Amino acid sequence: MEEEKTNTIKENPIELAQQAWTHLELVRKKSPLIQCITNFVSMDLMANTLLSAGASPAMIHSVDEIPEFTPKALGVCINAGTLTPDWLPGMKLAAQVANQSKKPWVLDPVAAGGSSFRLKACLELLALRPSVVRGNGSEILALFKGSVDSNSKGVDSVYGSSDAVEAAKSLAQQSGSIVAVSGAVDFITDGDKVVCVHNGVPMLQKITASGCSVTALISAFVAVDPSHPVEATASALAIFGVSSEIGMDMARGPASLRTHLIDSLYGLDEATALARVRISRF
Ligand SMILES: Nc1ncnc2c1ncn2[C@@H]1O[C@H](COP(=O)(O)OP(=O)(O)OP(=O)(O)O)[C@@H](O)[C@H]1O
Ligand SMILES: Cc1ncsc1CCO
Ligand SMILES: [Mg+2]
C-alpha cells in the first residue's frame, strides 16, 4: 500500500502543474470545512487564504466543542505559533478526533527550536501522526535533532530550506508523516522521494503568517485528496507561490502583496496556473 502511494508521484513537470490546478479546482468545488487551531497573529490571513482558495475555514479551538465539531471538518490545521499550556490539550484532542474520524490533519511547528516547552509540545503533536508537517528550515531541523537551537530567531528561519532536506527525509521516515520544508525552494518528502516547488517570492518572508497560511492551504488540499498527501502538499505550495508571484507584479511592498496575493489566489485561472506552476522531482 505504502509503495503504491509512493509510486503514484508523477515525474513530469507538466503533469505536476496539471495536478496542482486539478487540486485547486477540487478545493473550489468541494469547499472543504477546515478547522484551524492557530496562533493569534495568523488567524485573519489564514482564514482569508482558505476562503480565497474556495475552502471554508473555522477557527475553533475549545476542548469543550472539539469532540462534536472536529468530525464535521474535512481537514484540520494545528499551529503552535502562540502556544500556551492551556491550548495544548485542545490541539491534542483535535488531532486524536481527526485520526479517529479518518480526516487528515496538518501540523505547523512554529518556532519549534525556540524553547524546550515548544519543542516538547511539537514533538508530542508529531507523535500523534499528522498527515503532513510543514515548517521552515529551522523548525524541521529542530524536530529532527530533538533539541532547542541556541541560534533560534523564533518564528524566522536561520537556515535555508535546502539545509534541511536530509533532516526532512529522516524525520518523515521516523514519524510516518509527510514533511514539507518551505523556503526559496520548498521540499516535500515521504522519506524516500523528494518533490520540489520553485514558486514564490522572497517578499513572502516579510508578511507575517504567510507560512502559517500556506500550511492551512495544505490542509485544504490534503483534505480533498487525502490518499495523495505528497502531491496535494506540493500543489498547495505551488498554487500559493504562483499567487504571490502574480500579486508581486502589482504590489508596492509587503502590505499590498498581502492583499494582491489573496486576490490572485481567488482569481487564478487554468492557463496562468499551467504556465507558472513549477514542481519537479529532486
Ligand atoms: N526566498 C524565498 N523565495 C520564494 N518564496 C519563498 C522564499 N522564502 C519563503 N518563501 C515562501 O513563503 C512561504 C512561507 O514560507 P516560510 O518558510 O517563510 O514560512 P515560515 O517561516 O513558517 O513563515 P511564518 O512563520 O511567517 O508563517 C512559502 O510559500 C515559501 O515557499
Ligand atoms: C510573529 C509570530 N509570533 C508567534 S506566531 C507568529 C506568526 C508567524 O509565524
Ligand atoms: Mg512558520
Side-chain angles (χ1 to χ4, degrees), residues 108 110-111 134 136 139 155 211-212:
D108 192 325
V110 180
R134 193 292 311 166
N136 61 36
E139 290 158 350
V155 304
C212 308

Side-chain angles (χ1 to χ4, degrees), residues 108 110 134-137 139 155-157 182-186 199-202 204-205 207-214 237 240-241:
D108 192 325
V110 180
R134 193 292 311 166
N136 61 36
E139 290 158 350
V155 304
D156 289 332
S157 189
S182 57
V185 177
D186 306 310
N199 297 107
V201 295
L204 282 171
Q205 294 165 97
I207 304 176
T208 191
S210 60
C212 308
S213 301
V214 82
L237 284 156
F240 188 81

Side-chain angles (χ1 to χ4, degrees), residues 34-39 42 46 50 58-61 66 70 75-83 87-99 103-110 121-122 124-126 128-135 139 143 211-213 215-220:
I34 305 299
Q35 181 188 358
C36 305
I37 305 184
T38 192
N39 68 74
S42 71
M46 183 181 286
L50 286 168
M59 282 36 199
I60 282 178
H61 63 259
I66 284 166
T70 302
V76 178
C77 177
I78 298 180
N79 177 302
T82 49
L83 191 63
W87 275 57
L88 198 50
M91 291 177 175
K92 288 181 177 172
L93 184 60
Q96 283 158 346
V97 174
N99 288 344
K103 307 286 178 52
W105 68 280
V106 179
L107 175 65
D108 192 325
V110 180
C122 290
E124 285 168 7
L125 288 164
L126 187 61
L128 296 174
R129 289 284 296 260
S131 297
V132 182
V133 52
R134 193 292 311 166
E139 290 158 350
L143 292 180
C212 308
S213 301
T215 303
L217 196 64
I218 291 168
S219 311

Side-chain angles (χ1 to χ4, degrees), residues 14 17-22 24-25 28 239 242 246 264-277:
I14 295 171
Q18 181 67 57
Q19 182 171 252
W21 170 253
T22 304
L24 178 61
E25 274 195 308
R28 287 175 175 175
I239 293 293
V242 165
I246 301 164
S264 303
L265 176 55
Y266 178 79
L268 189 62
D269 61 49
E270 181 173 9
T272 310
L274 296 187
R276 297 189 81 138
V277 165

Side-chain angles (χ1 to χ4, degrees), residues 23-172:
H23 276 133
L24 178 61
E25 274 195 308
L26 212 53
V27 171
R28 287 175 175 175
K29 195 170 139 225
K30 284 197 177 180
S31 189
L33 172 60
I34 305 299
Q35 181 188 358
C36 305
I37 305 184
T38 192
N39 68 74
F40 299 113
V41 186
S42 71
M43 285 180 184
D44 178 285
L45 185 61
M46 183 181 286
N48 279 303
T49 300
L50 286 168
L51 281 172
S52 61
S56 181
M59 282 36 199
I60 282 178
H61 63 259
S62 170
V63 252
D64 294 333
E65 55 187 343
I66 284 166
E68 191 184 346
F69 183 79
T70 302
K72 301 186 211 295
L74 219 57
V76 178
C77 177
I78 298 180
N79 177 302
T82 49
L83 191 63
T84 50
D86 50 324
W87 275 57
L88 198 50
M91 291 177 175
K92 288 181 177 172
L93 184 60
Q96 283 158 346
V97 174
N99 288 344
Q100 281 155 13
S101 314
K102 308 230 175 306
K103 307 286 178 52
W105 68 280
V106 179
L107 175 65
D108 192 325
V110 180
S115 73
S116 316
F117 160 68
R118 211 166 255 284
L119 180 68
K120 183 169 176 282
C122 290
L123 288 172
E124 285 168 7
L125 288 164
L126 187 61
L128 296 174
R129 289 284 296 260
S131 297
V132 182
V133 52
R134 193 292 311 166
N136 61 36
S138 283
E139 290 158 350
I140 297 305
L141 281 162
L143 292 180
F144 164 66
K145 292 177 185 165
S147 58
V148 295
D149 183 355
S150 53
N151 295 318
S152 167
K153 276 183 77 184
V155 304
D156 289 332
S157 189
V158 294
Y159 297 101
S161 51
S162 55
D163 298 328
V165 178
E166 288 310 314
K169 282 179 81 172
S170 302
L171 188 65

